[in-house]
Amino acid sequence: MNPAHRVPVASRVYTPAPGEASDVEHMPAGDVTDGVVRVGGTIRRPHQPQSLAVAEYLDWLDDTGFEGSPRFLGRDTQGRDVLTFVPGQCAGAIPEAWVQSGDLLVSVARLVRRLHTASAGFAPEAHPFPPRPVRPNPTDAAGLICHLDITPQNVVVRDGLAAGLVDFDLAGPSTALHDSLNTAMHWVPLRDPSDAWPGWEDQDPFHRLRIFADAYGWTEDERRRVPGAGIEAAALSYERMRHSAAALGGGWARMWQDGVGGQINRRRAWLEANAEPLVAALTR
Ligand SMILES: Nc1ncnc2c1ncn2[C@@H]1O[C@H](COP(=O)(O)OP(=O)(O)OP(=O)(O)O)[C@@H](O)[C@H]1O
Ligand SMILES: [Mg+2]
């Protein structure tokens, strides 16, 4: 859409076209946001503190021609955010066997790379992103707005390949390395073997991380930084989850009670124990 014709996100109101489909379908529940539904060709989500910052980011991505994100259409009569529905399939809470495809992993890495290229130059103006309890990586410049939650459940897959990203709730300033490593952490995945999803026990994380690295295009220097950056990210993630569970409750508290803190600590220990073989797998 031509930005000159676009209503500012804060006053954008969604009006369905006459005869537009209005059938309601409940979307698979995630960990935090309740009440995500599909209505015809749209998704309705509860309005949240970050919604307008996210809406401006989605406008920017749309203007760059990035094809992999929903568009923010405005708010409906119930005050909910209205986004375009991105057709395709997302993984379930325990990612299915089809999610293990190497081609899919390559396409996810390439999509994240395109997202980062498209995001360059975007700086929120009217609606800054709400500060998060702990910055993703306080030692880096955090100059790029990124998605920061590219899990299998938040990637839309068509014909076996990543076609879109949804759920920009955690988007905010970060770095390309942090966001791409976070994506690899979810998609390889990088976790202690005792925390493997059922059916994923035989996947080789070294091999899959190398596939991701080559497809995203990490430099030699970035490859060498992966274990250290992953360890630091795990430490910060632990603090952020603990803070969110205490301060926000809801799904954050549920995840904490379910033991996400222990899982993050086991991942950190696994990264520490495997730092050398990980760099070897990425650089040989
Ligand atoms: N714009 C969209 N297009 C297609 N499907 C979507 C879209 N937005 C959400 N979905 C589907 O609905 C599911 C849940 O929505 P979403 O990821 O936005 O919320 P959530 O995971 O419940 O939130 P959170 O991750 O904050 O807990 C997604 O995993 C996806 O299957
Ligand atoms: Mg989600």
Side-chain angles (χ1 to χ4, degrees):
M1 184 196 280
N2 181 339
H5 300 147
R6 188 179 269 136
V7 176
V9 292
S11 43
R12 198 174 301 169
V13 174
Y14 175 70
T15 337
E20 194 170 303
S22 57
D23 46 308
V24 176
E25 182 191 342
H26 291 268
M27 292 287 102
D31 289 315
V32 173
T33 315
D34 286 330
V36 179
V37 295
R38 173 183 179 179
V39 182
T42 68
I43 284 284
R44 313 290 170 103
R45 302 179 95 251
H47 187 74
Q48 300 181 77
Q50 69 276 16
S51 288
L52 296 180
V54 168
E56 283 198 331
Y57 183 31
L58 296 178
D59 277 3
W60 170 277
L61 293 174
D62 186 24
D63 289 343
T64 65
F66 180 68
E67 79 296 359
S69 47
R71 278 178 294 119
F72 176 72
L73 300 175
R75 292 175 71 183
D76 67 9
T77 48
Q78 296 177 39
R80 297 175 298 187
D81 296 338
V82 185
L83 301 147
T84 51
F85 178 79
V86 182
Q89 190 180 10
C90 295
I94 295 175
E96 298 81 353
W98 61 263
V99 184
Q100 296 171 2
S101 146
D103 287 346
L104 175 57
L105 185 62
V106 166
S107 69
V108 169
R110 290 183 180 157
L111 182 62
V112 178
R113 182 74 194 215
R114 290 202 298 282
L115 174 77
H116 292 165
T117 302
S119 302
F122 172 65
E125 283 172 5
H127 306 286
F129 286 90
R132 298 176 70 192
V134 179
R135 267 258 304 282
N137 187 340
T139 58
D140 280 353
L144 188 73
I145 302 298
C146 298
H147 183 291
L148 297 174
D149 196 22
I150 304 177
T151 61
Q153 298 78 24
N154 288 340
V155 172
V156 178
V157 177
R158 282 199 294 274
D159 299 326
L161 301 177
L165 302 168
V166 298
D167 191 359
F168 282 67
D169 278 351
L170 298 185
S174 186
T175 67
L177 178 60
H178 180 85
D179 195 32
S180 53
L181 179 52
N182 186 257
T183 305
M185 197 258 302
H186 287 300
W187 274 88
V188 167
L190 299 174
R191 39 172 63 199
D192 185 85
S194 68
D195 292 315
W197 294 308
W200 285 68
E201 297 84 352
D202 294 337
Q203 294 297 310
D204 177 353
F206 300 95
H207 179 62
R208 283 178 59 86
L209 186 64
R210 176 64 189 250
I211 291 176
F212 183 94
D214 292 348
Y216 179 85
W218 280 334
T219 64
E220 171 90 20
D221 175 60
E222 287 171 328
R223 287 167 199 244
R224 294 189 185 283
R225 290 179 60 197
V226 158
I231 290 161
E232 190 177 353
L236 289 166
S237 167
Y238 182 91
E239 287 308 318
R240 201 170 55 230
M241 295 291 294
R242 193 164 63 104
H243 176 98
S244 299
L248 305 173
W252 298 105
R254 264 196 307 279
M255 281 189 272
W256 194 253
Q257 273 153 20
D258 289 349
V260 73
Q263 192 190 99
I264 294 168
N265 282 339
R266 286 189 292 279
R267 179 171 71 240
R268 180 183 169 166
W270 185 86
L271 287 167
E272 280 165 356
N274 288 281
E276 269 182 42
L278 281 168
V279 172
L282 288 172
T283 55
R284 70 172 151 250

